[in-house]
Amino acid sequence: MAQYEISVIPGDGIGPEVVESALAVLGECEKQFDLNLNYTTYDFSADLYRRTGRKITAADMDVIGETDAVLFGAMGLPDVRDEHGLELGAQVEMRAYYKLFASLRPVKLFAGVPSAVKAEKVDMLVIRETSEGMFAGLHDVHEPSDEQATDRMTITRATSEKLFDVAFEEARARRKRGTPGRVTLLHKSNALRSNVLMEKVFDEVAAKNTDIESNKFYIDAGSMYMVTDPERFDVIVSENIFGDITSEIAAGLVGGLGVAPSADVSLKHGVFQPSHGSAPDIAGAGVANPIAMILSAAMMLNWLGERREDAECLQAARHINEAVERVLASGPRTKDIGGTASTDQVTEAVLQSLKSAAALSTQSL
């Protein structure tokens, strides 16, 4: 039986609620497959900082980094800021510390989920660079001023090469599952020197992956095409801020952030969390959509399975995805995607779908 050590950081707002849902689904997978997931829970929430002044440290991240993966809820409260006036977010600290250079953000239009666009099929992966770009100067020293403030965008060849290698690998893997196998760079090389380098490196990597179609758009035009013709996209890759914005646009195409998972990864570490925020306005009301968090847990199992060549992990991830797809098609669904169900009701429906699939599999043997 495969055994994995998982760090769990529930966070703020609806984070603890949706993490509880994901853990319940993972628990059912442990019963069905040869998996043993051991959890250690950490509190690095903005609420903890407000109460104690404590936030995540390098020593904390050294300990967490020894585990196999991190399952992360949602962090941040609008009224809790650090000494620089920024919202607290341990995930931002971890991205920098672990050099999590790629945020993988898949979106898919599921049957039963209303869409704001006219498209029969939306199935894309947005890959956001997360270690540099416009976030490169996050820890630069600045003199306090009410007259001027600057941020720094830095692109490096080394990170861009790794990022684009991942993009083409993902496109190749997705093509096996029926997508076109196409990588699109969204950039702004007509106005930003840093993006001139990014585009140059992209062209070089594309020339080494001629089996995968590639193309490029300026970020402004590309964002418009995402709304007017989303079916043209398979894998999108972009700079940090551009990727952040376009991944939110992509989520909007398929019903919103409640069905949008993500994985921040390096060659060694992985942090898995929903794309949505902490939504403190609905915290405790029992109406949060747990689907994005559940799908993020499936991404974690898939990532672990690929790294360890663990067929049980890969199978469990596939079963979670299929269970979610069945539930979204028939209901129940939460309010954000046109339903009336509670967090617990949707979670229970996913659990029952997993159990029913397991029973049918047993009967067929």
Side-chain angles (χ1 to χ4, degrees):
M1 178 181 291
Q3 181 169 306
Y4 298 96
E5 299 296 328
I6 310 297
S7 294
V8 179
I9 304 177
D12 298 290
I14 63 172
E17 300 171 51
V18 296
V19 164
E20 184 178 347
S21 296
L23 293 177
V25 170
L26 290 171
E28 179 60 31
C29 287
E30 286 188 87
K31 296 175 185 176
Q32 294 187 21
F33 304 95
D34 287 333
L35 297 177
N36 185 1
L37 305 176
N38 297 321
Y39 303 107
T40 303
T41 301
Y42 297 91
D43 182 6
F44 296 116
S45 62
D47 184 60
L48 177 72
Y49 179 80
R50 174 166 53 191
R51 290 184 284 108
T52 68
R54 171 94 159 88
K55 60 182 179 179
I56 197 167
T57 66
D60 295 323
M61 289 185 282
D62 285 339
V63 173
I64 292 170
E66 292 299 316
T67 60
D68 294 298
V70 179
L71 197 63
F72 197 106
M75 184 156 308
L77 296 171
D79 61 334
V80 180
R81 305 287 177 133
D82 65 12
E83 61 273 21
H84 304 293
L86 303 176
E87 280 194 39
L88 270 293
Q91 69 273 44
V92 177
E93 299 289 336
M94 288 191 291
R95 284 171 187 161
Y97 197 78
Y98 299 139
K99 295 180 172 56
L100 305 176
F101 63 88
S103 183
L104 312 179
R105 302 186 174 189
V107 297
K108 183 177 180 180
L109 181 57
F110 293 101
V113 178
S115 173
V117 297
K118 295 180 180 179
E120 293 183 5
K121 183 177 182 180
V122 180
D123 187 350
M124 67 178 77
L125 172 66
V126 178
I127 303 180
R128 169 194 178 188
E129 196 287 315
T130 46
S131 65
E132 49 186 45
M134 189 55 87
F135 279 41
L138 198 61
H139 297 291
D140 289 354
V141 176
H142 292 279
E143 291 296 328
S145 172
D146 287 332
E147 304 301 325
Q148 178 178 301
T150 62
D151 291 291
R152 170 167 62 88
M153 179 183 284
T154 297
I155 299 294
T156 68
R157 169 175 287 277
T159 296
S160 295
E161 286 177 345
K162 290 189 296 183
L163 182 74
F164 298 144
D165 283 343
V166 168
F168 281 93
E169 288 169 9
E170 290 290 334
R172 198 169 284 115
R174 284 169 58 83
R175 186 171 60 185
K176 293 178 181 178
R177 301 196 296 270
T179 70
R182 179 186 306 122
V183 179
T184 302
L185 173 68
L186 299 184
H187 64 102
K188 196 63 176 172
S189 67
N190 59 329
L192 299 173
R193 289 185 297 270
S194 59
N195 279 223
V196 173
L197 174 60
M198 175 174 263
E199 183 185 18
K200 179 180 180 181
V201 176
F202 178 81
D203 289 341
E204 293 172 0
V205 175
K208 299 176 183 178
N209 293 273
T210 54
D211 61 312
I212 299 296
E213 181 185 348
S214 65
N215 53 23
K216 304 174 292 186
F217 298 115
Y218 292 140
I219 183 65
D220 41 359
S223 297
M224 179 190 68
Y225 295 146
M226 288 181 70
V227 176
T228 59
D229 186 17
E231 293 174 277
R232 74 163 66 197
F233 294 107
D234 185 7
V235 174
I236 294 173
V237 62
S238 196
E239 177 272 335
N240 204 327
I241 286 291
F242 296 158
D244 192 17
I245 295 169
T246 52
S247 66
E248 302 265 329
I249 295 172
L253 302 175
V254 299
L257 295 172
V259 292
S262 76
D264 292 349
V265 300
S266 68
L267 300 180
K268 180 180 179 182
H269 296 96
V271 178
F272 301 85
Q273 66 181 109
S275 293
H276 62 68
S278 61
D281 56 319
I282 61 169
V287 298
N289 191 341
I291 293 298
M293 185 77 247
I294 292 170
L295 291 174
S296 297
M299 289 184 74
M300 180 185 76
L301 291 180
N302 195 73
W303 183 76
L304 290 170
E306 290 178 346
R307 286 172 56 82
R308 297 274 193 93
E309 297 184 348
D310 184 342
E312 293 290 308
C313 246
L314 294 171
Q315 189 176 12
R318 186 173 67 253
H319 277 236
I320 292 174
N321 286 319
E322 291 171 352
V324 165
E325 192 156 358
R326 287 191 294 269
V327 169
L328 289 175
S330 62
R333 292 181 287 270
T334 48
K335 183 178 179 180
D336 59 304
I337 50 175
T340 59
S342 68
T343 307
D344 288 345
Q345 288 170 329
V346 173
T347 304
E348 183 60 28
V350 175
L351 290 171
Q352 289 302 320
S353 184
L354 282 169
K355 293 173 182 177
S356 298
L360 287 173
S361 178
T362 301
Q363 291 172 10
S364 66
L365 294 177

